[in-house]
Amino acid sequence: MSNINDLKLTDDLFEKLDDSEKNAEFIAMESKTFMRDSWNRFKKNKLALFGLIFVTLMILFAIFAPMFSKYSYEMQDLQNRNALPSLEHLFGTDKLGRDIFVRVMYGARISLAIGFASAAINMVIGIIYGGISGYVGGRVDMIMMRTVDVIYSVPGLLYVILILMVFGNNLTSMLIAISITSWVNMARQVRTQVMSLKETEFAMAAKVIGASHSRILLKHLIINAIGPIIVTLTMMVPQAIFTESFLSFLGIGISQPQSSWGVLCSEARGLIHTYPIQIIWPVAAMCLTILSLNFIGDGLGEALDPNNGGMN
Amino acid sequence: MFKYTIKRILVGILTMFILSTITFFMMKIIPGNPFSQDNKVLTPKTYEALEAKYGLDKPVVEQYFIYLNNAIRGDFGESISKTGQQVIDIVIRRAPVTARLGSVAFVIALTVGVTLGIISALTKKRWVNSLITTFATIGVSIPSFLLAILAMILFGVMLGWFPLVGLKTPLHYVLPAIALALNPISMITRLTRSSLRDVMSKDYIVLAKSKGTSELWVIIKHGLKNALLPVVTYCGPMFAFLVTGSFVIESLFSVPGLGMEFTSSVINRDYTLIMGLTLFLGAIVIIMNIVSDIAAAMIDPRIKLGK
């Protein structure tokens, strides 16, 4: 037996390892950001994905379809009234010979704008109100929440109608009316989140370091409550679209020429016995959009919940 | 219990007071007054006489106290668009119609909703469960008036099974009542389903089963009794929904009830009628909220301690 020292170790005896073997012993999964993790979970929910695609398409059509169509939403073709769907007019024409496809897409602009804008305003009011109420606590919280209870116990629609009567039947006053009455849910949601988050260690740490109250509230508490806030926000969009169309359908919401989906339904209503197809289009557009937004909300609710299995 | 009841009633009265105050001042800040909108030319004298008749010549604060004082006694004055008719008489005449339609919808919502919820919670067949869940999702998210329009076209216009106008025969009730009840049915189905599922996995259910109690009795006596609490709490908001839902359902099916009256009063800018109806509908919703809260507190004593 020869001594080990006698072995001749030349370079050609060794072989370089493949790079992939470097971390063979390293056990950890790929690090993912919160957003990417959520997106992966969201993608798995087929309904939510369908909703997202549908709403995106709807928004694109709402923006571009009226621009590129050869018809405008108010152009009348009296020779061609109450036409059935054809290649010329995709959804047919209404009682004044106006192209229903363009009108539905134009209505989508108004309805979606109301939905998203009022949700955004609601979010701001809700975060400020709920944030202050939950953060300050004590007597302030009690008074603020009793106020919310009082507002909540009367159907918001009654207030919306009163506000519309004061400011007139147009888009701006509809936005004001919906925003003033529907921030209550958001405020409650934010308050609950802030109340539980302000007891956590990181909030305490921020306080000890000497961060200001507004910084703790915005940068530490609200940011960590962003999941539930986004979910509530998504649910508010269909709610606002519904309120607007409900009132416009009754003739006490917004009025011509701002023809939202509700206005379109209300116009086609008189022809429900003779040309039921005309009311189907705006109704279908609204049903699918509202359903899609609800699917997105449900999907986001599952996806943004940090306790919802991070390993996949 | 007594203390909780008193507290809820006091909050209700406060809410009512705030609603009436908001309504009054809203009506005051609306530009113009009911008479200036008339196309008829009014001589200054007639104008003054009209203002005096409705008390509009007094200072606003005084008007407010007169209004509050009258409102407590149920006197909302005379309707502006329907001259000679007292608001309270219109309300009394129209309310039974809405109440009938509303109670039919209420009963349908409770029975169908609870039944579907129980089936969905207890069934072992997967497709039954997913069918009910899909139905509930659609019912919760799609506004009732859109479903009502679709139902009108399908069952009224195309199939011709049900009449579409008025409330003369029991057959007339079918479509509007179902349209009104769809959303509450779906809410109740969801509530019953999730709470019954929770309850059925509790220890006392296992105990009751292991003691040999029959399956049906366990579900009724031990399961449902505890699972229906959320449904009782939901009854208050459901009334609010039925009231606002009646606005559009009544207008759609030409039912001469409070909802239709309210819509037309807004279109006609009939201020006294709007105020009267807002307060009346608001009061009903507030009272129903109190009743369902107290009922829930009676069933589950933990609720009143939490407040």
Side-chain angles (χ1 to χ4, degrees):
Chain A
M1 276 288 154
S2 55
N3 196 306
I4 195 147
N5 292 328
D6 296 343
L7 274 173
K8 285 231 159 57
L9 295 174
T10 51
D11 275 352
D12 57 283
L13 283 173
F14 294 93
E15 198 182 337
K16 226 179 175 178
L17 268 179
D18 191 55
D19 265 352
S20 64
E21 308 258 335
K22 255 186 192 165
N23 292 330
E25 308 275 303
F26 184 73
I27 305 172
M29 62 178 193
E30 186 193 351
S31 109
K32 290 179 198 155
T33 59
F34 176 61
M35 275 306 157
R36 205 164 133 215
D37 221 18
S38 309
W39 170 241
N40 282 338
R41 265 172 287 174
F42 185 83
K43 267 196 308 196
K44 280 197 189 146
N45 187 336
K46 289 283 173 309
L47 280 177
L49 204 58
F50 161 80
L52 186 66
I53 294 170
F54 185 84
V55 171
T56 316
L57 282 179
M58 197 49 142
I59 293 173
L60 290 178
F61 265 101
I63 296 172
F64 295 112
M67 277 185 196
F68 291 116
S69 173
K70 55 183 168 174
Y71 309 105
S72 78
Y73 80 99
E74 52 191 356
M75 200 168 78
Q76 301 181 4
D77 177 5
L78 293 175
Q79 249 80 58
N80 215 354
R81 289 182 302 169
N82 295 323
L84 293 176
S86 63
L87 279 178
E88 191 69 7
H89 297 282
L90 278 181
F91 289 178
T93 58
D94 69 1
K95 60 186 173 203
L96 293 173
R98 294 173 295 195
D99 185 81
I100 296 180
F101 178 72
V102 172
R103 286 178 74 71
V104 169
M105 289 310 147
Y106 189 82
R109 282 189 184 183
I110 293 174
S111 292
L112 290 174
I114 287 181
F116 286 106
S118 65
I121 300 174
N122 274 322
M123 184 179 76
V124 175
I125 304 179
I127 284 181
I128 295 174
Y129 195 97
I132 291 176
S133 176
Y135 188 72
V136 177
R139 182 158 292 174
V140 176
D141 177 47
M142 201 199 77
I143 294 171
M144 286 176 97
M145 279 302 122
R146 285 293 155 275
T147 317
V148 161
D149 286 345
V150 167
I151 297 175
Y152 195 72
S153 59
V154 176
L157 216 54
L158 290 179
Y159 291 124
V160 172
I161 292 173
L162 291 178
I163 294 169
L164 278 175
M165 291 191 67
V166 174
F167 293 106
N169 296 12
N170 54 54
L171 204 71
T172 331
S173 53
M174 180 61 85
L175 258 182
I176 296 174
I178 294 180
S179 310
I180 289 182
T181 50
S182 58
W183 50 272
V184 176
N185 275 330
M186 179 63 92
R188 283 190 166 167
Q189 181 73 47
V190 173
R191 171 179 172 267
T192 326
Q193 294 293 326
V194 166
M195 278 181 76
S196 66
L197 285 171
K198 77 174 176 188
E199 306 295 335
T200 52
E201 281 90 354
F202 65 81
M204 181 77 88
K207 208 174 192 174
V208 171
I209 290 172
S212 69
H213 289 305
S214 62
R215 191 184 157 86
I216 296 178
L217 184 57
L218 289 176
K219 291 247 163 168
H220 297 280
L221 304 185
I222 300 289
I223 280 295
N224 275 289
I226 205 75
I229 291 177
I230 290 178
V231 175
T232 317
L233 191 67
T234 326
M235 294 304 192
M236 266 173 176
V237 179
Q239 192 58 43
I241 293 180
F242 162 63
T243 308
E244 184 278 323
S245 60
F246 181 97
L247 293 170
S248 301
F249 180 71
L250 286 176
I252 52 184
I254 65 176
S255 49
Q256 297 280 13
Q258 291 163 326
S259 33
S260 69
W261 283 333
V263 177
L264 292 180
C265 288
S266 153
E267 275 179 359
R269 180 180 163 192
L271 299 169
I272 196 167
H273 289 276
T274 38
Y275 297 101
I277 186 91
Q278 289 186 13
I279 201 169
I280 294 275
W281 299 116
V283 169
M286 226 185 302
C287 285
L288 286 172
T289 309
I290 290 177
L291 212 52
S292 298
L293 286 164
N294 276 297
F295 287 153
I296 298 178
D298 283 342
L300 284 176
E302 279 167 32
L304 292 177
D305 184 359
N307 305 322
N308 208 339
M311 312 256 258
N312 53 45
Chain B
M1 193 64 225
F2 181 71
K3 213 176 141 196
Y4 177 76
T5 311
I6 296 291
K7 208 170 143 191
R8 281 301 286 117
I9 291 175
L10 284 180
V11 172
I13 292 173
L14 177 72
T15 313
M16 203 53 224
F17 170 74
I18 292 173
L19 175 68
S20 52
T21 308
I22 290 178
T23 316
F24 178 82
F25 285 103
M26 284 284 207
M27 291 295 142
K28 281 294 143 202
I29 46 176
I30 291 174
N33 73 36
F35 311 116
S36 58
Q37 282 186 343
D38 255 344
N39 287 327
K40 286 174 271 174
V41 184
L42 296 174
T43 61
K45 246 192 169 157
T46 355
Y47 187 77
E48 269 168 32
L50 275 172
E51 286 222 305
K53 184 182 172 195
Y54 290 97
L56 295 173
D57 51 347
K58 300 193 178 72
V60 174
V61 180
E62 202 185 327
Q63 283 183 42
Y64 174 62
F65 284 110
I66 295 175
Y67 152 81
L68 273 190
N69 192 16
N70 288 338
I72 292 171
R73 288 183 283 113
D75 177 10
F76 300 105
E78 200 175 284
S79 160
I80 291 174
S81 64
K82 298 176 178 172
T83 31
Q85 294 191 42
Q86 289 293 313
V87 168
I88 189 74
D89 293 336
I90 299 178
V91 172
I92 290 172
R93 196 171 64 237
R94 302 290 204 183
V97 182
T98 304
R100 272 202 300 276
L101 184 59
S103 33
V104 173
F106 186 82
V107 173
I108 293 179
L110 272 184
T111 46
V112 179
V114 171
T115 317
L116 286 182
I118 295 173
I119 295 175
S120 156
L122 300 178
T123 182
K124 297 200 169 61
K125 295 194 182 76
R126 238 190 133 146
W127 65 269
V128 175
N129 186 19
S130 50
L131 190 74
I132 295 176
T133 322
T134 314
F135 166 79
T137 311
I138 292 176
V140 165
S141 38
I142 294 188
S144 56
F145 85 97
L146 296 180
L147 292 172
I149 294 174
L150 293 177
M152 267 181 114
I153 293 176
L154 185 63
F155 297 110
V157 178
M158 288 165 75
L159 298 171
W161 290 353
F162 300 104
L164 291 181
V165 176
L167 273 188
K168 287 180 209 79
T169 63
L171 212 55
H172 281 85
Y173 277 88
V174 177
L175 284 184
I178 290 181
L180 200 53
L182 255 172
N183 184 294
I185 289 177
S186 317
M187 282 301 288
I188 293 175
T189 305
R190 283 183 158 194
L191 288 174
T192 313
R193 182 186 128 92
S194 65
S195 74
L196 191 57
R197 281 216 161 164
D198 272 4
V199 168
M200 289 310 274
S201 59
K202 289 268 160 64
D203 288 344
Y204 58 81
I205 297 284
V206 180
L207 178 71
K209 274 185 185 164
S210 59
K211 275 161 82 181
T213 321
S214 77
E215 184 83 11
L216 191 69
W217 191 244
V218 171
I219 294 169
I220 295 172
K221 184 80 208 295
H222 302 275
L224 272 187
K225 201 182 156 198
N226 289 295
L228 285 184
L229 184 70
V231 177
V232 174
T233 325
Y234 171 68
C235 281
M238 172 157 84
F239 258 96
F241 178 85
L242 290 178
V243 165
T244 51
S246 75
F247 295 176
V248 76
I249 298 295
E250 285 183 4
S251 139
L252 203 54
F253 291 93
S254 312
V255 176
L258 287 175
M260 199 183 184
E261 195 65 56
F262 189 69
T263 319
S264 67
S265 73
V266 173
I267 294 172
N268 295 331
R269 310 229 146 205
D270 187 338
Y271 298 133
T272 46
L273 193 51
I274 295 173
M275 288 210 261
L277 283 170
T278 309
L279 292 192
F280 182 76
L281 295 175
I284 290 197
V285 170
I286 290 168
I287 291 172
M288 285 307 165
N289 268 322
I290 295 176
V291 170
S292 80
D293 278 0
I294 292 175
M298 274 160 91
I299 298 173
D300 186 352
R302 281 171 300 180
I303 289 177
K304 62 173 184 268
L305 295 175
K307 293 239 169 174

